[in-house]
Amino acid sequence: METKRLVFIGVGGQGNLLASRLLGEAALAMNIPVVVSEIHGMAQRGGIVESAVLLGDVSSPIVSSSEADVLIGFEPLETLRALSKCNKDTVVITNTHPLPPFTVAVGQGTYPKVEETLKFIRERAKKVIELDGNAIAEEVGNPLSLNMVMLGALIGSGTTPIGAEEMKKVLSTSTKKAFLESNLKAFDLGMAKAV
Amino acid sequence: MHKLLTDSPGEKMLLLGNEAIARGALEAGVSFATCYPGTPSSEIPMNFFNISMESDLYFEYSTNEKVAMEVAAAAAVSGLRTIVTMKHVGLNVAADPLMTLAYVGVKGGMVIINADDPSLFSSQNEQDNRYYSRLSGLPMLEPTSSQEMKDMTLKAFEMSEALELPVIIRTTTRLAHVRGPVELGDLKPIVKKATFEKNPFRFVTVPAVSRKLHVELLDKFDKAAEISNGDAYNEVIGTGKWGIVANGACFNYVKDAVLDLGIGENVSILKLLMSWPQPETLCIDFMKKVDKVLVVEELEPINETELKAFAQENGITIPIKGKGIGAFSRLYEYDPGMVRQSIADFFGVEYKAPEKMDLAATPELPARPPNLCAGCPHRATYYAVKQVFGKQAIFPTDIGCYTLGLLPPISMADFVICMGSSASSGCGFAQATNQKVVSFIGDSTFFHSGITGLVDAVHNNHKFTLVILDNGTTAMTGHQIHPGVNTEPMGIERTRIPIESVVRALGVQDVHVIKPFKLKKAMESIKNAMEYDGLSVIISEEMCPLFAKATKQFKKSKPFRVNHDKCRNHRDCLNFLACPAMYLEGDQVEIDKNTCIGCTVCAQVCPENAIVPVKA
Ligand SMILES: Cc1ncc(C[n+]2csc(CCOP(=O)(O)OP(=O)(O)O)c2C)c(N)n1
Ligand code: SF4
Ligand code: SF4
């Protein structure tokens, strides 16, 4: 099976670890070899959180620089920062909603303009899927469903062998009842942005 | 039911390496588990903690790693299957019992889980604990995947019982925090109690006994070497003339590189699953069959050096290389691309790395360091202490969330080397300089190794201030309990040891208990402590809001907002506190009402009274 190297990048609290884990669960359910790596600990106090999912004939759980097939960025500045993981064939999926770090508020650096960030990425990646994930999460009435939106966009992009049905099955068994409907809606809307 | 108690052998689960270890222990019928938490090992005890509430497993969060090791040792010499877990630097704390426990050995299987952290994702150093197996003479297993984490844990219990020696399993971050498919095996019933059989000539290590025990340890070591040379753990994969030796996470990078480079036919890989004792015969045979050897190991060149010694003794003259090939160094973790490139370089294989994106024009990006949470009580304590002591005092600090006080605008961390060092180094700074000294220590760290430093301060009349940040939990590593925690709201029976009574009982005369969210009063107490001619202890009590929420003890209050009619935009709030709930909208400070937890501290800091509660 063809190897797929996916990098998820986000900010503490955005739920990208859960997204990568659920993708791994779906792969397992489909009998696709999978490893998922996560960084726990210090990174979670509002810092950058990175995870990776590797599918196919591969044992290494991490992605070296320039080796990502897909980069899923939950925040535009962090997508930009993580471009070193990409090469000319990488598909980039990015949330466009900015979350400036507190260093910006205290005057240690400026937050790059989102439009310029996106332009920078577009000029370099093979394909960029852009969506305002936070707006969609608000729209479904569950601000915490950003990770479902991004997962939807990933599945919609067709860059992995994992289908929407399998993914939704995993979401249904691993989500609390109260959030299931909004999560599935968020997933569908994210997916619609990518296909 | 806890997912790791799922009794369906053959089922495949996606398990974190640390979960796989816990499952492996359950499949071995583990009855006794101890730990002191530490990344990247903490998920193992977190699972045991929950499992112990619904099974006969005994589990405790011990005071520190030395205590955890000794409590576990007693259970193991009594005959119970026992596991103790810690991070790499924890084994330094437990090194004393480790060394002589190796002499007396065990009866019930005892497994020591040691989690190394190459690249220092969340540690104060990246020491290579493979040296501890060499130092103690204990066998070491180094699994390479989630499945092996489980399988090796199970086998380690068996090996430990067969050899009557504790067995160390060494993991690294890229094994502990990786999820992979794991096929479940049978669960074994838990044996609750054993009977200790006295044998002073084995268990009481006076010199005359230990002289004999050391001989026995070396005998056991020879037996372990036989196992290592056999085919149960270590193996040679392939028959090619290019030799590669790999252990732990590196084995995966090697396996993938060989596949990616299409050199499977040319290569033989020696996979070191049981890395100590070294499989000497296997290594020698391996080296005799290949033309050259590349050793792929993170951190210290341990296998490399040992292989070179074997080669020297056996007249083997092929090139044996490791550190220095490509980007292989003693620093930080390896990665797949780096290993692929080094293998290609060393064996002269043509390889073109994927074409990089041209990122030369990337603008300078603002950093996103981790930060104390919104409403973290540590921020308030730091603010209050700085108001009183100023910036000039020396601030020895310690390890925990509060180490983030290093960052501006707090900038109150001047020295930290290990857990507990704030209290003892405070003694040294106070004696060695004429500067004022204020040390900071967390509550879990105080119990772990701060008390002894405080005893030193009292006894030797050191004059400084120790601030104990009592947030009612071990926050940094995932909100575990410790001896000072009131566990009643969690429905667990443990006896709480109030920090204030410990401090007073040690003979500290000037003790202040403050509430950091009541800034004015807190600052008065801090001022009194500063003026006291002697040793002062300030206990700052306020629960970590994340722990409070997780245990349903959080009292919800109204979030705050900036009243722009009053705000004069001098930004004292941002410049002194920088709570992450604050942000700039244009050039005005705003507070995000979803992030703010209503701790009221910024409202007390604002001299314009411009920060007010959001009206319902
Ligand atoms: C010897 C050793 N054991 C474990 C750790 C991991 N560790 C880092 S901080 C910490 C505990 C912090 O708890 P506390 O002192 O209560 O501070 P808090 O994080 O709650 O602010 C632990 C266990 C370590 N760094 N060194
Ligand atoms: S987890 Fe608790 S102690 Fe740690 S920074 Fe957050 S609020 Fe503070
Ligand atoms: S009240 Fe002020 S300091 Fe406290 S959490 Fe809200 S914004 Fe932060």
Side-chain angles (χ1 to χ4, degrees):
Chain A
M1 206 206 118
E2 202 196 343
T3 302
K4 284 282 174 201
R5 298 176 165 91
L6 290 78
V7 173
F8 290 72
I9 199 93
V11 175
Q14 286 189 315
N16 62 320
L17 289 188
L18 181 63
S20 54
R21 200 191 88 204
L22 293 175
L23 187 71
E25 296 279 3
L28 180 72
M30 291 175 71
N31 260 322
I32 297 170
V34 59
V35 270
V36 183
S37 64
E38 307 170 352
I39 282 301
H40 300 202
M42 203 73 160
Q44 294 194 337
R45 303 275 173 274
I48 301 160
V49 182
E50 186 187 322
S51 52
V53 178
L54 289 96
L55 302 167
D57 204 357
V58 54
S59 314
S60 307
I62 51 176
V63 180
S64 299
S65 59
S66 322
E67 296 194 356
D69 296 306
V70 189
L71 171 68
I72 305 106
F74 283 48
E75 201 277 345
L77 165 66
E78 296 316 325
T79 310
L80 177 57
R81 208 194 303 274
L83 284 185
S84 59
K85 290 278 179 201
C86 303
N87 55 51
K88 292 186 168 163
D89 294 320
T90 307
V91 174
V92 177
I93 302 172
T94 186
N95 183 12
T96 58
H97 182 89
L99 211 71
F102 81 95
T103 48
V104 170
V106 293
Q108 299 160 4
T110 37
Y111 191 89
K113 289 206 171 67
V114 174
E115 196 36 54
E116 278 166 29
T117 298
L118 296 173
K119 185 165 158 269
F120 186 92
I121 302 170
R122 271 179 230 135
E123 283 166 1
R124 285 163 179 81
K126 183 172 131 193
K127 183 177 173 192
V128 189
I129 297 168
E130 301 159 21
L131 65 167
D132 186 337
N134 291 65
I136 297 175
E138 290 288 345
E139 186 185 327
V140 305
N142 177 4
L144 293 177
S145 65
L146 170 68
N147 52 359
M148 298 300 131
V149 178
M150 299 307 291
L151 208 46
L154 171 65
I155 300 302
S157 73
T159 49
T160 74
I162 292 161
E165 284 320 303
E166 281 90 357
M167 200 58 244
K168 282 192 193 173
K169 235 188 261 167
V170 169
L171 298 188
S172 309
T173 50
S174 53
T175 312
K176 281 205 189 101
K177 273 224 169 64
F179 297 110
L180 183 56
E181 202 191 312
S182 59
N183 273 353
L184 288 175
K185 223 182 199 169
F187 179 86
D188 282 338
L189 289 176
M191 201 165 125
K193 289 277 176 197
V195 281
Chain B
M1 192 183 59
H2 194 283
K3 79 169 178 187
L4 294 181
L5 290 172
T6 306
D7 195 10
S8 53
E11 184 183 326
K12 270 198 179 166
M13 267 189 190
L14 193 71
L15 293 185
L16 197 65
N18 280 341
E19 293 172 335
I21 285 180
R23 172 71 190 195
L26 294 167
E27 290 182 9
V30 70
S31 16
F32 204 97
T34 68
C35 87
Y36 186 74
T39 318
S41 75
S42 306
E43 296 80 9
I44 311 171
M46 281 156 109
N47 279 290
F48 284 148
F49 178 73
N50 292 328
I51 289 165
S52 70
M53 304 219 237
E54 47 179 295
S55 74
D56 284 337
L57 173 70
Y58 175 76
F59 169 74
E60 69 169 51
Y61 282 115
S62 308
T63 320
N64 63 30
E65 292 87 351
K66 172 175 147 68
V67 174
M69 182 76 74
E70 292 158 350
V71 172
V77 298
S78 301
L80 293 182
R81 286 201 162 180
T82 304
I83 191 166
V84 52
T85 70
M86 62 197 65
K87 69 182 288 164
H88 61 336
V89 286
L91 200 52
N92 298 335
V93 179
D96 200 9
L98 178 82
M99 294 304 297
T100 311
L101 177 61
Y103 277 31
V104 303
V106 292
K107 287 195 157 171
M110 174 164 172
V111 176
I112 299 164
I113 304 289
N114 162 86
D116 278 16
D117 189 18
S119 279
L120 305 95
F121 290 98
S122 34
S123 302
Q124 61 267 41
N125 74 26
E126 57 172 350
Q127 65 185 53
D128 190 332
N129 275 12
R130 290 179 296 164
Y131 280 127
Y132 270 113
S133 58
R134 275 81 181 160
L135 189 62
S136 64
L138 294 178
M140 177 170 276
L141 302 180
E142 295 189 66
T144 72
S145 64
S146 287
Q147 180 73 50
E148 283 182 358
M149 295 279 257
K150 179 188 82 79
D151 296 344
M152 288 304 113
T153 305
L154 174 58
K155 283 176 118 176
F157 277 102
E158 288 159 9
M159 187 195 300
S160 168
E161 259 162 38
L163 294 170
E164 298 203 354
L165 271 187
V167 171
I168 306 173
I169 294 183
R170 174 190 184 247
T171 73
T172 57
T173 303
R174 296 309 186 176
L175 294 158
H177 287 171
V178 163
R179 284 174 205 278
V182 175
E183 186 175 330
L184 305 182
D186 287 307
L187 288 170
K188 255 222 187 83
I190 293 170
V191 181
K192 272 171 77 173
K193 296 278 179 191
T195 305
F196 174 69
E197 283 164 28
K198 296 184 186 217
N199 182 357
F201 292 100
R202 173 169 174 192
F203 294 130
V204 183
T205 53
V206 293
V209 172
S210 282
R211 267 183 219 113
K212 201 172 57 53
L213 290 177
H214 195 186
V215 176
E216 283 176 26
L217 175 60
L218 296 189
D219 285 344
K220 289 178 181 176
F221 186 82
D222 289 343
K223 285 202 191 105
E226 267 173 48
I227 300 176
S228 186
N229 273 308
D231 55 10
Y233 295 91
N234 298 319
E235 63 173 325
V236 176
I237 302 159
T239 53
K241 287 284 185 190
W242 300 345
I244 303 176
V245 179
N247 63 307
C250 290
F251 172 73
N252 298 311
Y253 310 150
V254 168
K255 201 170 135 197
D256 288 348
V258 168
L259 201 69
D260 294 344
L261 296 170
I263 55 172
E265 304 272 286
N266 309 70
V267 167
S268 309
I269 306 171
L270 171 57
K271 178 185 181 189
L272 289 175
L273 212 51
M274 180 166 178
S275 64
W276 188 255
Q278 278 279 18
E280 187 172 348
T281 323
L282 191 66
C283 290
I284 294 165
D285 288 349
F286 177 77
M287 289 189 288
K288 280 185 178 158
K289 284 193 191 128
V290 296
D291 295 340
K292 56 201 294 201
V293 172
L294 181 65
V295 185
V296 187
E297 60 186 326
E298 290 169 324
L299 302 176
E300 298 303 311
I302 297 177
N303 293 332
E304 183 184 339
T305 312
E306 287 167 0
L307 284 167
K308 284 175 179 166
F310 292 153
Q312 203 277 342
E313 279 181 6
N314 290 277
I316 298 168
T317 56
I318 56 165
I320 302 166
K321 299 277 182 198
K323 302 298 168 188
I325 297 300
F328 286 176
S329 85
R330 292 163 64 187
L331 296 170
Y332 319 136
E333 68 171 0
Y334 286 6
D335 66 75
M338 173 207 248
V339 171
R340 197 185 307 122
Q341 187 70 57
S342 295
I343 290 179
D345 289 354
F346 186 66
F347 295 108
V349 182
E350 209 166 319
Y351 165 65
K352 227 175 118 260
E355 212 175 323
K356 285 192 164 67
M357 257 185 195
D358 180 8
L359 298 175
T362 310
E364 202 178 316
L365 304 180
R368 194 187 294 272
N371 188 6
L372 296 171
C373 303
C376 175
H378 297 332
R379 179 180 288 105
T381 309
Y382 277 128
Y383 173 83
V385 171
K386 200 197 268 177
Q387 289 302 303
V388 175
F389 275 86
K391 296 177 195 166
Q392 296 313 316
I394 305 177
F395 299 116
T397 191
D398 226 300
I399 309 190
C401 283
Y402 51 97
T403 317
L404 292 171
L406 166 72
L407 299 173
I410 297 173
S411 308
M412 286 166 79
D414 293 320
F415 185 74
V416 58
I417 46 178
C418 62
M419 283 185 78
S421 68
S422 59
S424 352
S425 66
C427 300
F429 284 121
Q431 189 62 36
T433 72
N434 281 324
Q435 291 158 277
K436 281 201 161 41
V437 177
V438 186
S439 290
F440 292 95
I441 192 166
D443 45 356
S444 185
T445 305
F446 177 71
F447 284 106
H448 176 280
S449 48
I451 294 175
T452 42
L454 186 57
V455 169
D456 191 85
V458 174
H459 177 65
N460 291 311
N461 305 320
H462 292 300
K463 294 181 181 179
F464 68 103
T465 301
L466 178 67
V467 180
I468 304 174
L469 299 156
D470 184 359
N471 63 352
T473 183
T474 316
M476 178 89 255
T477 46
H479 300 102
Q480 294 85 355
I481 58 170
H482 62 66
V485 175
N486 174 15
T487 57
E488 225 182 82
M490 305 166 73
I492 316 163
E493 269 181 52
R494 294 284 194 282
T495 301
R496 170 168 182 253
I497 304 171
I499 292 177
E500 186 184 350
S501 25
V502 176
V503 171
R504 289 194 188 277
L506 292 182
V508 180
Q509 298 300 318
D510 191 51
V511 182
H512 307 265
V513 178
I514 62 169
K515 301 282 176 197
F517 290 166
K518 301 215 154 76
L519 279 181
K520 208 169 145 221
K521 249 184 118 186
M523 279 172 352
E524 272 166 32
S525 300
I526 297 167
K527 194 151 174 281
N528 290 337
M530 183 173 76
E531 282 161 5
Y532 183 77
D533 184 29
L535 172 71
S536 298
V537 170
I538 296 167
I539 303 166
S540 181
E541 284 180 354
E542 182 65 47
M543 197 177 282
C544 159
L546 266 58
F547 179 68
K549 279 180 193 162
T551 52
K552 307 206 159 52
Q553 302 181 70
F554 187 68
K555 289 184 205 79
K556 211 170 167 194
S557 6
K558 280 189 187 140
F560 280 66
R561 68 178 178 92
V562 179
N563 175 352
H564 291 291
D565 297 340
K566 284 191 171 178
C567 173
R568 291 174 55 201
N569 209 17
H570 44 50
R571 302 187 190 167
D572 280 6
C573 51
L574 264 182
N575 295 338
F576 296 136
L577 293 175
C579 170
M582 300 167 184
Y583 63 99
L584 285 179
E585 184 78 55
D587 75 337
Q588 296 280 313
V589 180
E590 295 287 355
I591 292 173
D592 174 23
K593 67 176 191 311
N594 294 319
T595 313
C596 171
I597 65 156
C599 76
T600 76
V601 169
C602 57
Q604 297 171 56
V605 168
C606 175
E608 316 302 333
N609 292 321
I611 302 183
V612 293
V614 171
K615 278 190 220 93

